[in-house]
Amino acid sequence: MKICMIGAGYVGLVSAACFSDFGWTVTCVDKDQARLAEMKAGRSPIYEPGLEALMDRNIKAGRLLFTDDLGPAVAEADVVFLAVGTPMRRGDGYADLSYVFTAVEEAAPHLRGFTVVTTKSTVPVGTSREIERRLKAKRPDADVAVCSNPEFLREGSAIQDFTHPDRVLVGADDVRAREVMGRLYKPLALRGSPVMFVERESAELAKYAANAFLALKISFINEIADLCENLGADVQEVASAIGKDRRIGDKFLHPGPGYGGSCFPKDVSALIRTAREAKSPVSIIEQVERVNHERKLAMAIRIVEAAGGSVRNKTIAVLGLTFKPNTDDMRDAPSLVIVPMLQERGATVRACDPQGRRHAEPLLPGVVWCESANEAAQGADVLVIVTEWNEFRALDLEDLKGRMAGKTIVDLRNVFDPEIARDLGLTYSGIGRGHRGQGTSQVAAATSNDAQSALSAK
Ligand code: NAD
Ligand code: UGA
């Protein structure tokens, strides 16, 4: 089977590498010449664990190819995937579909024989029909069926997610398209992954509903964490207890500085706009968006309070900048709100991130860049964990304390054991650790007040 993957970013490249590993021949088409050069040389332009090895194996086998020449790749393909970006549109918060429609216009002249064109990009309800309309207008002679095949992988564990999905979702009206998509995913079906065929609109909406529900879980546990601080409960224990209930589940109940990334913020925003337009507002998701926005501001204020009420002329060590570990992706990372707020209040920020520096550096001017956590901690008054990279979990707190000028740790990901930190004479502020997070209830109270004034000042 021959596949053309238009857009070789976080989703396109991972999907292409995995499909080629199933034995299909995949040609990735991308316009970004820098990305292309790296991929052609067998290197991954993004940091995703295991991806380069997978690429290497399939490039050598002649099944994974890269080009900027769309024509031949589309002409030969049984399935053309659209995996280009659908960022938040400036000004109104809708999904920007310009990359999708440009790719459709570019692909149309080259379609040959029966071809399935399918979105892998996250697109609003109705987009598949609109793509079909545009293809038919441009190529009335083309034998084409348009599907929706949303992707549910997470960055950082993308290969495992792609190859062991909870489900594969295909929105398809056309019988031949269902057969082609069924054959494409047969390797996964044979391993027991359910392949679900649904209406195109259902597939499109299910993707947004899934991301919105996960975002809701995160905002929920973040608010419960704040409540824990004020009532003396420990959110880890509360999350673990409720997570045992299979109706709730224990995933996505880790409190933190608010969700970020290339998808939750933009998809939540797009769903809100779509729902309002459909005169069926999702008010609960509107509140999730608000809570998450305020959370990032509140985290910066929490750090200020932990530093004694002011960070002016203080040095803050920030460990982790990416929106989550195991990725170099900085899109909508909480650090992009927290670090500038600290700098505006007069702090010097010393930061490190195992993979994020290349993308973070242009976004965070004025930061002192460090190669390691130990280097960042040098002379710091306060040390903050923003992203829970594994290598931070094993840090020697006593050694860190020796390097710091102050002794305050703000652990926005609950990486450290509060008792161990306290026994070492550190002032520890975790998230929702109740009596365990030393002094956190005061910080939480101050945080919410100050965050409110930060918000109303905007
Ligand atoms: P990305 O920005 O990393 O990659 C998009 C790529 O498309 C870029 O390399 C760009 O150069 C290329 N491109 C754009 N227009 C093109 C064109 N006309 N021809 C050829 N190449 C073109 O984006 P991403 O993070 O991979 O996301 C892609 C889509 O997948 C989005 O809709 C996103 O919501 C969805 N998605 C992403 C993830 C994720 O983990 N990042 C997970 C599930 C779904
Ligand atoms: C998310 C979804 O999990 C994927 O299923 C989906 O395919 C993808 O979006 C997408 O549509 O692009 P991703 O953004 O890569 O994947 O990463 P997540 O692991 O979901 O994390 C998103 C954000 O939520 C991160 O900032 C993370 O730190 C935060 N988070 C996650 C929490 O704060 N607590 C949690 O318990 C889980």
Side-chain angles (χ1 to χ4, degrees):
M1 208 166 197
K2 290 200 168 159
I3 299 171
C4 169
M5 186 69 66
I6 306 182
Y10 286 86
V11 158
L13 180 55
V14 169
S15 307
C18 292
F19 278 133
S20 65
D21 212 45
F22 296 165
W24 308 135
T25 302
V26 188
T27 304
C28 290
V29 183
D30 206 292
K31 286 184 169 173
D32 184 324
Q33 295 302 330
R35 273 189 172 181
L36 263 184
E38 290 219 50
M39 293 184 291
K40 281 182 177 171
R43 289 189 301 270
S44 168
I46 57 169
Y47 177 74
E48 182 61 48
L51 183 54
E52 256 179 26
L54 196 63
M55 286 171 65
D56 184 58
R57 184 158 75 231
N58 289 290
I59 290 170
K60 284 190 178 134
R63 291 192 295 259
L64 183 58
L65 308 149
F66 301 98
T67 182
D68 57 359
D69 190 1
L70 186 84
V74 169
E76 286 175 12
D78 301 293
V79 183
V80 174
F81 276 99
L82 303 167
V84 299
T86 49
M88 201 188 294
R89 200 161 66 191
R90 274 176 194 278
D92 64 10
Y94 280 87
D96 178 354
L97 293 177
S98 58
Y99 298 97
V100 172
F101 292 141
T102 301
V104 167
E105 297 292 320
E106 289 168 350
H110 306 287
L111 292 166
R112 210 176 56 202
F114 177 63
T115 313
V116 175
V117 173
T118 181
T119 50
K120 183 88 60 204
S121 305
T122 302
V123 292
V125 176
T127 306
S128 301
R129 281 191 199 283
E130 176 59 17
I131 291 172
E132 190 170 78
R133 192 192 64 72
R134 288 178 185 231
L135 284 175
K136 291 219 163 112
K138 191 139 188 162
R139 279 287 306 279
D141 60 310
D143 189 10
V144 65
V146 179
C147 295
S148 162
N149 175 215
E151 181 51 56
F152 296 95
L153 63 76
R154 289 162 299 170
E155 290 178 24
S157 52
I159 293 169
Q160 171 70 16
D161 287 351
F162 191 93
T163 53
H164 298 82
D166 290 336
R167 75 313 205 177
V168 171
L169 187 60
V170 181
D173 295 352
D174 185 282
V175 179
R176 287 182 301 165
R178 287 185 179 214
E179 187 278 319
V180 170
M181 295 302 279
R183 203 147 34 93
L184 179 70
Y185 281 109
K186 190 91 183 266
L188 291 183
L190 288 172
R191 281 214 298 245
S193 298
V195 179
M196 298 172 63
F197 288 97
V198 297
E199 293 294 316
R200 291 184 287 188
E201 285 73 13
S202 306
E204 289 166 338
L205 186 54
K207 173 63 194 176
Y208 282 98
N211 275 0
F213 189 80
L214 293 168
L216 178 144
K217 271 188 110 173
I218 297 168
S219 284
F220 172 80
I221 203 65
N222 283 339
E223 290 207 314
I224 293 294
D226 286 350
L227 188 58
C228 285
E229 288 174 12
N230 289 333
L231 298 181
D234 185 324
V235 71
Q236 312 271 83
E237 293 175 351
V238 173
S240 163
I242 64 173
K244 293 278 184 299
D245 186 328
R246 275 174 294 171
R247 292 169 302 173
I248 296 173
D250 59 0
K251 304 282 190 294
F252 277 68
L253 288 179
H254 300 289
Y259 60 77
S262 64
C263 292
F264 284 174
K266 78 167 172 64
D267 292 347
V268 162
S269 167
L271 180 63
I272 290 169
R273 270 79 198 166
T274 301
R276 278 192 203 151
E277 203 171 74
K279 307 232 176 320
S280 189
V282 282
S283 56
I284 194 167
I285 302 304
E286 299 198 14
Q287 188 59 14
V288 165
E289 186 178 56
R290 203 167 306 126
V291 166
N292 196 60
H293 171 65
E294 290 175 8
R295 180 108 193 134
K296 295 177 186 176
L297 304 175
M299 292 300 108
I301 303 302
R302 173 183 289 249
I303 296 163
V304 173
E305 295 302 328
S310 167
V311 288
R312 183 153 306 281
N313 299 325
K314 294 206 170 129
T315 299
I316 315 289
V318 171
L319 310 192
L321 296 163
T322 48
F323 80 97
K324 64 180 287 189
N326 291 326
T327 182
D328 57 357
D329 200 337
M330 282 294 298
R331 289 178 282 186
D332 261 307
S335 64
L336 295 176
V337 174
I338 294 169
V339 169
M341 272 182 79
L342 296 174
Q343 289 173 318
E344 277 161 26
R345 285 167 166 73
T348 297
V349 173
R350 295 169 63 80
C352 71
D353 187 283
Q355 294 293 335
R357 180 170 170 180
R358 184 165 60 105
H359 293 309
E361 210 165 334
L363 301 172
L364 292 170
V367 163
V368 179
W369 295 97
C370 302
E371 291 303 322
S372 66
N374 285 342
E375 191 190 333
Q378 211 65 43
D381 297 289
V382 178
L383 181 136
V384 187
I385 303 277
V386 176
T387 314
E388 71 280 30
W389 284 88
N390 263 341
E391 64 186 68
F392 300 151
R393 294 181 195 277
L395 284 172
D396 179 341
L397 285 181
E398 195 160 16
D399 181 56
L400 274 189
K401 190 183 156 201
R403 293 169 189 271
M404 291 170 64
K407 55 182 180 132
T408 300
I409 292 196
V410 182
D411 183 357
L412 299 182
R413 300 286 189 168
N414 289 345
V415 165
F416 298 129
D417 184 331
E419 265 123 33
I420 292 177
R422 203 171 37 229
D423 289 350
L424 287 168
L426 288 159
T427 304
Y428 175 86
S429 167
I431 299 283
R433 306 309 301 269
H435 297 309
R436 290 203 173 96
Q438 198 178 309
T440 44
S441 52
Q442 280 165 351
V443 170
T447 294
S448 50
N449 292 339
D450 207 343
Q452 281 312 321
S453 38
L455 284 171
S456 43
K458 276 198 143 247

